[in-house]
Amino acid sequence: MRVSSGSSFFSKFCSSALRTKPLSNSSDVVRINSGEGLIRRLGPFDLILLGIGASIGAGIFVVTGTVARDAGPGVTISFVLAGASCVLNALCYAELASRFPAVVGGAYLYTYTAFNELTAFLVFTQMMLDYHIGAASIARSLASYVINILELFPLFKNNIPNWVGHGSKEIFGFISINLLAPVLLVLLTLILCRGVGESSLVNTIMTTTKIVIVLVVIIVGAFEVDGSNWSPFAPNGFKSMLTGATVVFFAYVGFDAVANSAEESKRPQRDLPIGIIGSLLVCIALYISVCLVITGMVPYKFLGDDAPLAEAFKSKGLHFVSVLISVGAVAGLTTTLLVGLYVQSRLYLGLGRDGLLPKIFARVHPTRHTPIQSQIWVGFIACVLAGLLNVHLLSHVLSVGSLAGYSVVAACVITLCWKDNIGSQVSATFIPHRLEGIICITVIACCGFTAGILFRYVVSPFAYIFLALPIAIAILAAAALRFRQEQMDPPGFSCPWVPMVPALCIFVNIFLFAQLHYEAWVRFIVLSIVAIGVYAFYGQHHATPTGECEVVTYHKAPEEEAI
């Protein structure tokens, strides 16, 4: 009897885990059955600022200099390589954002349709943990910068206890009280609960302030550049620049926030690709410009660890610029935190609608048109983490979820070209065809990880010859995908050179995955096991992938009219 019961549970689990979300051809609108949907207020300019706000924080004033200490002026090439990699990922996001329903979900929704329910839930949990820890870490950094600005005034200098904004001494190695970080989180949560119009206005003001300050820093610094400081350009060779690229890659992470604003975009098929790619190109230009300025002002060997850009300007007697940098850091961290909280609430909203999380997360305020319950929950989690824990200790386990999510998004672009998932019937020959394709994608991912491990741990230059083997195998797997690729003309934006570009995305992302701290790998495995357990005992029993729930039915996004 127990064997039969266990077999039945496993059979139901497998059946549920392999479910996909069908997308209806019956209508060209998104219908909210309850009448409580998000409101479309975001145009292309708002989306570009949203992406910039999510990507550029205080890091533009810090990471550029810290990486330059190892890569020298070649840090510029590091940012070019990382930017090029992110552009490839952005192309995949842009196609899916314009092709899929204009509703919340992002990478989770794409995975649910292209692969299955369990994989989509795993993508959500991995990315969400990154968001939660990242938001708490940013809140503590923002609190610290606010205190630094206050201490510029004699009244506050050396009179503010550490536990107010910088964090108290650690208790048991990880508990550190910070009073200001939760206060800032509550204020931003209240703004987000007011509605997308108010939060978009705050993001626009703060992002514009941040961009203006960065431009002032670049222009003022350009007059202090000494070209001799750019020689030698790559003092530690190409490997240092490539290693730097693996570090600064995460400085661009944030364009996926635009994809999660689909349901609040005025014209999603046109505007989402513009927002995703446009924001990324602006970020690349700003980062490269700052790199050229900081390495031209001061020899790379003399760059500081904590505030290299500010110290570079102080060395030139430009103390007012260092104050501007602090203000820019506050503006940058504020927008990054605001957008991060916004994205998290929309992801919870999507899973609540699909039943994978309790229905309370699916509720949208009838007049504010914002998921207040989800927003409060996200703010509460961030307040607890930021107020009580030194989450900076967890920074080395971040980004693993983002890299995994980006890789799956790239794989979605490939798999959706094998058949038209929208309203199509699965033929008898499609299953082995699909299995062969998934094997090729898995081979590419494994080759990327192997190449990353070899690059990370191999010391002898001769041993780098072995790198050619996984690269060659990945090329063959990508070629196999290309030969079986069906010609399709998806609506809206189309990623070029499919499946080669998505395959390259997967390879590069997993290569970077291999560069992360081993504890990040452990976190990835442990969280996946926990997520599978949550899905097995809750998600599979409450999920409604066919759109039969009372909250929302998914349909294709409306076609854009010719302009």
Side-chain angles (χ1 to χ4, degrees):
M1 191 70 176
R2 290 183 177 179
V3 174
S4 175
S5 177
S7 176
S8 175
F9 178 84
F10 182 74
S11 176
K12 176 177 172 52
F13 174 82
C14 292
S15 176
S16 301
L18 296 177
R19 291 183 299 207
T20 61
K21 175 177 285 297
L23 303 177
S24 173
N25 273 321
S26 61
S27 175
D28 287 333
V29 298
V30 177
R31 184 176 73 249
I32 307 295
N33 291 339
S34 67
E36 298 177 2
L38 303 179
I39 190 167
R40 299 190 183 279
R41 289 182 175 174
L42 302 179
F45 183 70
D46 298 312
L47 294 172
I48 290 175
L49 290 180
L50 186 73
I52 296 173
S55 299
I56 295 184
I60 193 169
F61 305 115
V62 179
V63 72
T64 47
T66 53
V67 176
R69 285 175 58 85
D70 296 322
V75 67
T76 306
I77 304 300
S78 297
F79 273 94
V80 170
L81 294 173
S85 174
C86 285
V87 166
L88 298 179
N89 283 286
L91 291 173
C92 296
Y93 259 96
E95 172 170 326
L96 297 179
S98 66
R99 181 176 179 179
F100 268 69
V103 290
V104 296
Y108 155 77
L109 176 61
Y110 310 150
T111 308
Y112 207 160
T113 301
F115 288 100
N116 54 63
E117 189 171 281
L118 178 58
T119 305
F121 188 70
L122 289 173
V123 167
F124 164 79
T125 54
Q126 292 291 346
M127 297 188 75
M128 188 52 63
L129 184 59
D130 273 8
Y131 279 127
H132 281 317
I133 297 176
S137 179
I138 293 169
R140 290 181 75 99
S141 296
L142 177 58
S144 182
Y145 269 101
V146 170
I147 295 299
N148 288 339
I149 291 179
L150 290 176
E151 289 181 340
L152 293 175
F153 301 95
L155 176 64
F156 297 105
K157 189 172 182 61
N158 298 324
N159 290 325
I160 302 177
N162 284 338
W163 55 266
V164 173
H166 293 299
S168 66
K169 291 183 178 180
E170 294 178 7
I171 305 171
F172 304 119
F174 62 94
I175 296 177
S176 175
I177 305 300
N178 189 311
L179 183 63
L180 183 57
V183 173
L184 296 173
L185 283 165
V186 169
L187 291 175
L188 293 178
T189 299
L190 290 175
I191 292 173
L192 288 165
C193 289
R194 290 279 300 175
V196 68
E198 290 79 357
S199 57
S200 177
L201 177 61
V202 172
N203 181 67
T204 298
I205 295 173
M206 299 298 283
T207 301
T208 303
T209 301
K210 172 174 57 179
I211 293 175
V212 169
I213 290 176
V214 172
L215 291 176
V216 169
V217 168
I218 293 170
I219 294 171
V220 173
F223 289 98
E224 302 293 334
V225 167
D226 181 357
S228 63
N229 290 330
W230 289 333
S231 180
F233 191 76
N236 297 317
F238 179 74
K239 182 177 181 180
S240 66
M241 294 190 293
L242 189 57
T243 302
T246 65
V247 175
V248 304
F249 174 88
F250 306 109
Y252 292 111
V253 171
F255 56 83
D256 57 316
V258 180
N260 284 287
S261 63
E263 195 168 326
E264 289 157 298
S265 171
K266 292 178 180 177
R267 307 184 70 179
Q269 280 193 313
R270 184 199 67 176
D271 294 348
L272 288 177
I274 293 174
I276 292 171
I277 298 176
S279 62
L280 182 57
L281 293 178
V282 171
C283 292
I284 291 174
L286 293 177
Y287 273 120
I288 292 175
S289 299
V290 171
C291 286
L292 291 173
V293 166
I294 191 174
T295 55
M297 288 179 62
V298 180
Y300 73 94
K301 294 180 180 180
F302 300 122
L303 291 173
D305 291 325
D306 298 325
L309 194 60
E311 291 177 11
F313 279 97
K314 286 181 180 179
S315 69
K316 299 293 183 178
L318 300 172
H319 295 275
F320 77 96
V321 179
S322 63
V323 177
L324 277 180
I325 289 173
S326 295
V327 175
V330 169
L333 289 169
T334 300
T335 57
T336 304
L337 184 56
L338 184 74
V339 175
L341 295 173
Y342 165 87
V343 171
Q344 292 176 56
S345 67
R346 269 56 181 178
L347 285 172
Y348 274 105
L349 172 63
L351 269 82
R353 285 174 171 175
D354 292 333
L356 290 170
L357 291 178
K359 290 298 182 183
I360 189 173
F361 293 114
R363 297 177 184 174
V364 176
H365 195 276
T367 57
R368 296 293 179 189
H369 299 285
T370 187
I372 290 181
Q373 285 83 355
S374 296
Q375 199 68 71
I376 292 175
W377 169 254
V378 166
F380 172 75
I381 294 294
C383 285
V384 171
L385 293 177
L388 299 178
L389 305 178
N390 183 8
V391 288
H392 293 304
L393 296 175
L394 302 176
S395 60
H396 57 280
V397 302
L398 285 177
S399 303
V400 61
S402 298
L403 286 173
Y406 289 174
S407 301
V408 174
V409 167
C412 289
V413 175
I414 299 174
T415 58
L416 289 174
C417 289
W418 295 337
K419 74 182 184 78
D420 187 2
N421 276 347
I422 303 176
S424 65
Q425 297 294 325
V426 180
S427 65
T429 60
F430 173 71
I431 294 179
H433 181 94
R434 178 183 176 88
L435 182 59
E436 292 170 7
I438 291 177
I439 290 174
C440 289
I441 292 174
T442 305
V443 168
I444 293 171
C446 291
C447 289
F449 188 79
T450 302
I453 292 295
L454 290 173
F455 175 81
R456 179 175 180 176
Y457 292 108
V458 167
V459 178
S460 171
F462 176 77
Y464 282 115
I465 297 175
F466 292 106
L467 276 173
L469 182 59
I471 293 174
I473 295 174
I475 292 174
L476 292 175
L481 288 173
R482 178 66 185 90
F483 287 130
R484 64 173 57 254
Q485 195 74 31
E486 297 180 14
Q487 295 296 323
M488 295 184 63
D489 186 21
F493 181 86
S494 178
C495 177
W497 304 310
V498 176
M500 308 310 290
V501 166
L504 182 59
C505 284
I506 296 171
F507 184 90
V508 172
N509 292 338
I510 302 303
F511 178 91
L512 295 173
F513 185 100
Q515 309 306 310
L516 298 176
H517 196 280
Y518 76 93
E519 290 184 5
W521 306 344
V522 175
R523 175 224 121 158
F524 180 82
I525 295 172
V526 171
L527 182 59
S528 296
I529 294 173
V530 172
I532 291 173
V534 173
Y535 175 79
F537 291 101
Y538 181 87
Q540 67 164 328
H541 303 293
H542 297 84
T544 53
T546 58
E548 296 172 354
C549 64
E550 71 278 4
V551 178
V552 66
T553 300
Y554 291 121
H555 294 280
K556 292 172 64 177
E559 298 286 347
E560 301 295 350
E561 299 174 0
I563 299 176

